[in-house]
DNA sequence: GAGCTAATTGACAACGTTGTCAATTTGGGA
DNA sequence: TCCCAAATTGACAACGTTGTCAATTAGCTC
């Protein structure tokens, strides 16, 4: 086994408490002593024992990212952002798939195991999980919750405004029959984006046709099948707004399958601006949300709560933008 | 704070050692006692303290997945496979981006922090990391190493044979000028796939043209630019074999950009069979490797080494297959 | 160089669990 | 009823670190 603090202390000729002080970069150690200890630690290839440290400190250096459907490309960016933040701040990221946990997260959340938890949709809106976390007094942060509350900090973009803007953009292009592929209704973001879509139509004096609204699953195949349904309508839409890019990619595929051209015959836009958006053909016009930033900021807010559980939970709204690539165009039909 | 073992012991009227026994499902506890303890634990909402347990057991319930370029879709599947295995086996997965760690992984690998480590390309072939792990006697497993060794177990497919088969398939389709987009040469898998490509050409009596071989970066843009280079050749290839699907997607995009049709004018095939392969148009013909399985099996081999560091490292080769979707066709030109 | 204060260092307990081994209880046969 | 082996339970130390507080040392001033 590798060396302990006591080994280092003996080798450096000081007490093990002094070694501890050096290891934690505390003040009040003479420079000469510090050097002696550091040399001894290097020589012995000393690595601190995290379990002992965490036990004594009643803390942890682990942050959990709880996800439910690991194959969403959305998650990739969140994870990267969180991972980078953790690296820079002395934490490690534990990624846990709640859907693979039949009987809940009890062992993951065992006392002191996690310093904090990052929740993404749909868990951001799951009252069950949040109650568990509060019961165990584990700090957590919510990414893209439907609405902010005072239980935990949150980071989001203004989904309603973003969806409204994109819809208005389509209206400006001359589209009046705009299909909407929503996410699952248990996602707060789905509801917010739907609301933004409705806002735009109402503001523009257009009627909302419920048949133009199709609930997808944030997945590629669900984008295909919703699109198929929309095209089978007696009066199909001239533009389709998918609530994420995976579904937009599915929509484009289904459109092509039917021999319909994008964007010449139909406009298709997405949401998120993940990797697939710039990779498919035509490159997707979409709503960009700064997912990596959101994750990093969420981690930062979480840290504040880890440090002081009484601190006021902060709520950050990050800016979004419309990235208009090549999958949109003016409405051909009148 | 939540309850400790001693609280439960007091509440159940037994010694804390007995509670410990119940918590660990040990033999030799009377059923009535066990029940009493379990009830008390439930009432008090007892959660074991992982740090204390790990300290005393000199172990950990954490497995690290070390990655270097988090945006490769390959990683998604590996991670899902590893995560699921961890859930089922009482571990948690820590995902760590080594490229975000300027000064190495020392703190991640601090004594006892990780029960074991899963290495994927290119770290599977990185002697530095492996030496670090051996020095600290942290068990590890290698996914898709260039060659197996006796330091650690490994899981892979036969990349050379797979690349050979795919190349032969293209030859059978009548192609004789086959472009190869390799991965970076520091990836063992790149070298193995290149070797398989060469094997097939040689066995078929075709000459190997080095200009038809372009080194990519396993990324979409690198697939585009290699393809561009290949098409700019005086005698461009009639088929392109990309060493992963991301690059194949880039190749298809660049092909379309030039007004060339896939598969009518040129055949493009990939490698991995990740999500993008069935999502792009046309659906990609590719080599399928069972990434999730590979990760799960790797974790299992790792566990064997965690349990007994002296156990013989095992090496598993999983079957691959050719998934011929719609991006390939016979050679038009003679 | 004595005396004082501030800086530095050390002794010891505590964190919550599991391992070791001894003590106690149980159950069955004589 | 007593005795013995087996089953069950408990007492106590140990894991490696950090927090508390006391002890020691260094650096000044006079």
């Amino acid at each position: 086994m590798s060396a302990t603090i006591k080994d280092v202390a003996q080798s450096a000729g000081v007490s093990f408490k002094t070694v501890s002080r050096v290891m934690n970069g505390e003040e009040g150690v003479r420079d000469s002593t510090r050097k002696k200890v550091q040399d001894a630690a290097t020589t012995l290839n000393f690595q601190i024992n995290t379990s002992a440290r965490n036990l004594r400190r009643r803390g942890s250096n682990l942050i959990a990212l709880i996800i439910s459907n690991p194959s969403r490309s959305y998650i990739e960016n969140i994870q990267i952002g969180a991972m980078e933040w953790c690296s820079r701040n002395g934490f490690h990221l534990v990624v846990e798939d709640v859907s693979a946990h039949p009987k809940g997260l009890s062992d993951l959340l065992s006392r002191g195991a996690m310093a904090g938890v990052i929740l993404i949709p749909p868990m951001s809106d799951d009252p069950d999980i949040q109650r568990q976390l509060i019961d165990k007094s584990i700090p957590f942060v919510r990414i893209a919750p439907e609405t902010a509350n005072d239980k935990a900090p949150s980071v989001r973009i203004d989904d309603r405004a973003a969806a409204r803007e994109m819809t208005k953009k389509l209206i400006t292009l001359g589209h009046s029959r705009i299909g909407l592929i929503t996410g699952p209704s248990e996602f707060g973001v789905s509801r917010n984006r739907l609301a933004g879509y409705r806002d735009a139509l109402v503001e523009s004096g257009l009627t909302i046709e419920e048949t133009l609204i199709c609930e997808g699953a944030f997945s590629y195949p669900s984008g295909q099948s919703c699109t198929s349904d929309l095209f089978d309508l007696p009066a199909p839409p001239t533009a389709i707004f998918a609530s994420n890019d995976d579904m937009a990619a599915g929509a484009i595929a289904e459109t092509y399958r039917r021999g319909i051209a994008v964007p010449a015959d139909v406009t298709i836009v997405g949401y998120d601006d993940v990797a697939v958006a710039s990779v498919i053909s035509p490159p997707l016009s979409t709503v960009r949300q700064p997912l990596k930033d959101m994750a990093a900021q969420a981690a930062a807010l979480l840290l504040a709560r880890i440090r002081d559980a009484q601190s006021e939970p902060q709520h950050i709204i990050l800016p979004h933008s419309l990235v208009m690539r090549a999958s949109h165009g003016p409405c051909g039909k009148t």
Side-chain angles (χ1 to χ4, degrees), chain A residues 49-122:
Chain A
N49 181 315
T50 317
S51 297
R53 160 176 286 182
N54 287 342
L55 171 60
R56 193 58 173 90
R57 283 187 176 170
R58 298 155 169 280
S60 167
N61 60 340
L62 262 24
I63 286 180
L65 174 66
I66 301 197
I67 65 184
S68 68
N69 183 348
S71 60
R72 284 185 58 204
S73 47
Y74 175 90
I75 293 172
E76 171 182 323
N77 292 284
I78 294 283
Q79 179 178 322
I80 292 173
M83 234 163 43
E84 286 176 353
W85 184 91
C86 283
S87 292
R88 284 195 307 272
N89 291 275
F91 284 86
H92 300 295
L93 189 71
V94 174
V95 185
E96 201 83 16
D97 180 4
V98 68
S99 57
H101 271 274
K103 31 174 208 165
L105 296 164
S106 51
D107 74 312
L108 173 63
L109 274 20
S110 60
R111 189 157 36 107
M114 297 293 143
V117 172
I118 299 175
L119 257 27
I120 64 171

Side-chain angles (χ1 to χ4, degrees), chain A residues 154-186:
Chain A
S154 68
V155 178
R156 44 191 288 256
I157 63 167
D158 188 340
D159 280 290
R160 184 165 182 166
R164 180 174 150 280
E165 282 167 39
M166 180 57 100
T167 308
K168 283 222 160 179
K169 181 83 173 190
L170 298 180
I171 294 170
T172 305
L173 286 167
H175 297 279
S176 57
R177 300 188 57 74
I178 302 173
L180 179 73
I181 307 179
T182 71
S185 54
E186 71 262 29

Side-chain angles (χ1 to χ4, degrees), chain A residues 25-47:
Chain A
E26 288 173 29
E27 301 290 308
V29 178
R30 202 181 315 242
D31 282 350
S32 59
T33 311
R34 185 181 299 276
K35 175 111 183 27
K36 233 177 10 182
V37 170
Q38 279 165 339
D39 288 350
T42 308
T43 307
L44 294 177
N45 191 24
F46 169 74
Q47 296 291 138

